[in-house]
Amino acid sequence: MSTVQSRRRAGRSGLAGLLAAAAGVAVAELIAALTDPAAGPAVAVGGVLVDAAPTPVKEFAVRTFGTADKPVLLGGIAVALAVVAVVVGLLAARRRRYGTAGAALFAVVGAAAALSRPAAGPLAVLPSLVGGAVTGILLWTAHREPPRPDGFDRRAFLRAAALVAVAGGGAVLTRRVRGGQAARDRAAVRLPAPADPVPPLPAGQDPGFVTANEDFYRVDTALTVPRVDLGAWRLRIHGRVERPRTFTFAELLQRPLVERHITLNCVSNEIGGPYIGTARWLGVPLAPLLREAGIDPGADQVVARSVDGMSIGTPLGTVLDTPDVLLCVGMNGEPLPLEHGFPVRMLTPGVYGYAGACKWLTEIELTTFAAVDAYWVERGWAPRGPVKTASRIDRPGSFGHVRAGSVPVAGVAWAQGRGIAAVEVQVDAEPWRRAELLPVPSDDTWVQWRLTWAAPPGPHTLRVRATDRTGALQPERRATPFPDGATGWHTVTVTVDG
């Protein structure tokens, strides 16, 4: 056989492996879409990789890719699978049993990943097992014995291509239908008027005090947004309680609802970072529900669990002592967006999201810190996550250019639960200047601040620091977010044009 023929045969064998794997994944995703969307091999394997990734890797992904970290991960999985599929196709051209072994490995890895999810049922293995079987059959038939003269079975190729198209299209269509149903359920929700409405915002604030839903940050481990069946959804309160309770969504809406402006921020937020926002939240106070259930005196932790198995641990004392710990059903005047936890999420003012803000909530367990380590605590994060005093310069932007003269300098500062007493700005080595604080509705929100700077031409460095109402000054020493939140003074460099 000539070199050209060998290369052609190798190319066709690699293509056969790639097409067989694509067909297997398409079939697996179709079955997952019909049964359990989170059991699809790509999402299941991606979830295992997210869980297993060291904290520095997670922090790098959030810092580098932001909310695009999930598409990047899924894209990386697809590329890796394609490479493996090509190699398996080449090996199968030599011995068909190599293709069978490769397909079996695909099935086992996907099934094990799906079964490892906390919320997985016994059928979670089905998509990957069937997908692996499809891949194995296609590889077996594509490499006939004895081989065809040109090393290529066109009928097998067309069968595989048709299967990819039909199964892939079916998976996409099914997921859209299921996702559309969740969106229709959300659109049909009519939120009751709050029994305790939020007061109007104080006059004199700059635009942007409230973050629009579409601009609100999203940081979580869900590779696909859970689509909750509202009719089947239940909230279970159990564990160390005297009277376990279960609520439907309609029953939860019958409770007295509270409306509050609350700032939420992620522990992964770097100094000056974007993972913070303020919204008008509507929800049911959690503490009365727990007291009605009868709290065991030995309990000291509230573990909230999501429909996808995520667990968030919050100190029980924080929940009982903070009036506005809410089971939120609304955000900025509308039902929770799907990506922000529809139908219900937990929100704890003054606590980082990893320790008090479980999305897609379905279960609340009263337990102890000694008995249960929640998801992030298992990975080395601090068990309790009170928000640290911090501040940020939003205008002017770092490395920006401004005209000499009067330049507005503005930003936000936060110390939820304690409030901000003062914000100071320093230009180069000049003395610190106190900024004007704009009015806020409560200590549970960030504070907008501003001052006017007489900017001379040339490069300048601006830094900001805040003091909370306990008198504690924001720490100057810079520290990374792990394990309990970043510290340091936000600094920007600006060029003033003459």
Side-chain angles (χ1 to χ4, degrees):
M1 184 182 294
S2 68
T3 302
V4 173
Q5 288 176 321
S6 298
R7 289 177 177 175
R8 285 179 179 176
R9 184 167 184 177
R12 289 166 176 171
S13 298
L15 178 60
L18 183 61
L19 197 57
V25 170
V27 169
E29 292 297 334
L30 176 58
I31 295 173
L34 293 168
T35 57
D36 179 4
V43 173
V45 171
V48 169
L49 294 177
V50 169
D51 292 347
T55 293
V57 174
K58 288 188 174 76
E59 292 300 294
F60 172 80
V62 171
R63 183 171 59 252
T64 305
F65 303 112
T67 55
D69 57 344
K70 298 168 184 64
V72 169
L73 174 60
L74 291 174
I77 291 173
V79 171
L81 178 60
V83 172
V84 172
V86 170
V87 172
V88 170
L90 293 172
L91 293 174
R94 298 183 178 182
R95 294 287 188 275
R96 287 199 293 182
R97 61 175 177 270
Y98 293 159
T100 303
L105 180 63
F106 163 81
V108 170
V109 170
L115 201 58
S116 70
R117 296 181 303 115
L123 292 180
V125 302
L126 187 62
S128 292
L129 294 182
V130 174
V134 168
T135 300
I137 291 170
L138 290 176
L139 282 171
W140 188 266
T141 58
H143 298 91
R144 296 185 174 185
E145 294 180 354
R148 298 176 66 91
D150 61 358
F152 187 66
D153 190 328
R154 289 172 178 80
R155 290 184 178 180
F157 176 86
L158 292 175
R159 285 196 298 268
L163 187 56
V164 171
V166 172
V172 171
L173 180 61
T174 303
R175 287 183 181 272
R176 285 185 176 178
V177 169
R178 294 190 64 160
Q181 183 58 52
R184 288 190 292 273
D185 284 347
R186 177 180 177 272
V189 170
R190 297 294 178 263
L191 296 175
D196 186 359
V198 67
L201 287 173
Q205 293 173 335
D206 283 345
F209 180 83
V210 174
T211 309
N213 289 355
E214 58 269 22
D215 297 329
F216 211 94
Y217 79 92
R218 178 195 167 198
V219 176
D220 54 55
T221 63
L223 294 180
T224 59
V225 175
R227 309 292 182 173
V228 178
D229 182 344
L230 192 58
W233 179 88
R234 298 291 185 271
L235 173 65
R236 180 183 173 215
I237 299 177
H238 68 106
R240 301 187 69 159
V241 297
E242 298 174 4
R243 297 172 293 277
R245 301 286 305 275
T246 300
F247 295 90
T248 66
F249 186 69
E251 289 170 339
L252 209 58
L253 293 187
Q254 292 172 2
R255 306 278 306 191
L257 299 181
V258 169
E259 191 177 44
R260 294 289 185 268
H261 285 106
I262 298 173
T263 295
L264 174 65
N265 55 326
C266 180
V267 72
S268 295
N269 206 26
E270 300 278 356
I271 293 299
Y275 302 131
I276 182 169
T278 298
R280 176 164 54 93
W281 304 94
L282 177 71
V284 178
L286 176 56
L289 293 179
L290 299 183
R291 291 191 174 100
E292 290 174 16
I295 301 171
D296 185 320
D300 64 6
Q301 180 179 205
V302 176
V303 175
R305 292 188 175 88
S306 168
V307 298
D308 65 353
M310 168 59 67
S311 59
I312 299 291
T314 309
L316 176 60
T318 300
V319 174
L320 298 179
D321 296 340
T322 307
D324 294 332
V325 177
L326 302 178
L327 303 183
C328 296
V329 296
M331 183 179 182
N332 289 331
E334 61 183 67
L336 284 175
L338 299 179
E339 63 272 20
H340 290 296
F342 178 81
V344 179
R345 72 174 295 166
M346 181 175 163
L347 182 65
T348 306
V351 174
Y352 289 116
Y354 86 97
C358 184
K359 295 192 281 191
W360 309 293
L361 183 66
T362 188
E363 179 184 334
I364 293 175
E365 178 188 7
L366 263 66
T367 181
T368 65
F369 282 101
V372 177
D373 283 341
Y375 180 91
W376 292 111
V377 177
E378 287 181 335
R379 287 151 180 82
W381 293 83
R384 295 163 174 81
V387 170
K388 296 181 177 180
T389 302
S391 54
R392 186 180 75 194
I393 299 172
D394 292 331
R395 300 196 310 271
S398 191
F399 305 111
H401 288 253
V402 297
R403 299 292 300 176
S406 294
V407 174
V409 181
V412 289
W414 57 91
Q416 296 98 304
R418 303 181 302 278
I420 294 293
V423 171
E424 300 168 289
V425 176
Q426 184 183 51
V427 179
D428 301 324
E430 296 176 4
W432 289 90
R433 292 179 54 196
R434 181 166 288 206
E436 175 191 1
L437 302 184
L438 304 187
V440 294
S442 76
D443 287 343
D444 288 335
T445 69
W446 57 14
V447 175
Q448 295 173 315
W449 58 265
R450 64 190 178 195
L451 61 76
T452 300
W453 169 40
H460 298 280
T461 299
L462 284 69
R463 57 183 60 85
V464 63
R465 67 186 185 186
T467 302
D468 66 29
R469 291 190 181 277
T470 71
L473 179 66
Q474 175 183 346
E476 177 182 7
R477 185 181 69 86
R478 295 189 73 89
T480 61
F482 183 80
D484 59 357
T487 61
W489 294 345
H490 187 214
T491 303
V492 300
T493 300
V494 179
T495 299
V496 178
D497 300 323

